[in-house]
């Protein structure tokens, strides 16, 4: 069990460019979560899928952020027209019921 | 939606002492309260949880208390060791199609 796999581990984008972050949840896990971690805001919830269906995206900034789960083995978080305030560690996590397992995160830096 | 507040942003204790981290939540429907540990440069990993059908749970040196009336829960680490130094996050969810919401984290330092 390799755990939740996130790629890339680090990404640097120029302001205004697009960034796509990838997540491979643990096989058999039905729930996939995306969070964003910054020193100022802490651990913010972004969005959540269960059995590939979007359940709650209430934490997503509406205009530039989108997430998809096209199959049970991966999810993507796309940020269009990245801004410096998007710089953060983006964490993907998965679970069945109860304990949530986190990936190592993608550190996004917008310059 | 659920909001979780973690009261201590930093906590420093001497090795062997106990450490207590307190959290409050807002949604009375929340029924599942996990705690996660994040060591320097690493991601979060689960340490202990409690469900709303009990008010106390212990796993070795970790004790979690839940006060549903006050919407408050706490993590007690007894006989602290330097390797307990990390950031601890509390979370709450209703476990019914609801993603856990996390507190801001408490940086615990255990000094030898």
């Amino acid at each position: 069990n390799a755990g939740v796999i996130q790629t890339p581990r680090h990404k640097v984008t120029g302001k205004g460019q697009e960034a796509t972050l990838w997540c491979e949840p643990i096989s058999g896990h039905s729930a996939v979560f995306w969070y964003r971690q910054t020193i100022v805001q802490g651990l913010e919830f972004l969005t959540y899928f269960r059995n590939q269906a979007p359940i709650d995206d209430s934490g997503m900034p509406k205009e530039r952020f989108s997430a998809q789960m096209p199959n049970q083995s991966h999810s993507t978080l796309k940020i269009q027209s990245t801004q410096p305030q998007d710089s953060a560690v983006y964490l993907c996590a998965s679970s069945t019921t109860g304990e949530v397992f986190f990936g190592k995160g993608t550190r996004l830096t917008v310059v | 939606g659920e909001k979780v507040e973690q009261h201590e942003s930093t906590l420093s204790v001497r090795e062997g002492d106990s450490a207590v981290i307190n959290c409050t939540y807002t949604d009375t429907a929340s029924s599942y309260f996990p705690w996660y540990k994040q060591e320097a440069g690493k991601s979060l990993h689960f340490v202990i949880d409690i469900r709303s059908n009990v008010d106390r749970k212990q796993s070795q040196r970790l004790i979690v208390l839940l006060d549903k009336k006050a919407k408050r829960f706490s993590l007690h680490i007894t006989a602290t060791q330097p390797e307990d130094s990390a950031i601890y996050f509390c979370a709450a969810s209703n476990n019914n199609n609801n993603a856990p919401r996390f507190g801001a984290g408490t940086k615990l330092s255990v000094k030898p």
Side-chain angles (χ1 to χ4, degrees), chain A residues 35 37 45 56 58 99-100 103, chain B residues 36 38 43 46 97 99-101:
Chain A
Y35 292 88
Q37 186 174 21
F45 167 75
D56 181 359
S58 59
E99 182 179 346
V100 173
Chain B
Y36 286 79
Q38 186 176 37
S43 193
F46 170 87
N97 272 357
R101 277 10 185 221

Side-chain angles (χ1 to χ4, degrees), chain A residues 33 35 37 42-43 45 48 50 55-56 58 91 98-100 102-104, chain B residues 32 36 38 43-44 46 49 51 89 95 97-104:
Chain A
F33 311 91
Y35 292 88
Q37 186 174 21
L43 197 54
F45 167 75
Y48 158 44
R50 185 170 287 280
I55 301 298
D56 181 359
S58 59
L91 293 169
E99 182 179 346
V100 173
F102 283 84
K104 294 182 178 179
Chain B
Y32 176 63
Y36 286 79
Q38 186 176 37
S43 193
L44 284 75
F46 170 87
D49 60 11
R51 296 183 187 273
F89 292 90
N95 227 20
N97 272 357
N98 178 247
R101 277 10 185 221
F102 285 80

Side-chain angles (χ1 to χ4, degrees), chain B residues 5-17:
Chain B
E5 196 170 317
Q6 202 159 340
H7 296 259
E8 299 83 7
S9 57
T10 61
L11 184 60
S12 182
V13 299
R14 286 279 177 206
E15 182 178 357
D17 288 350

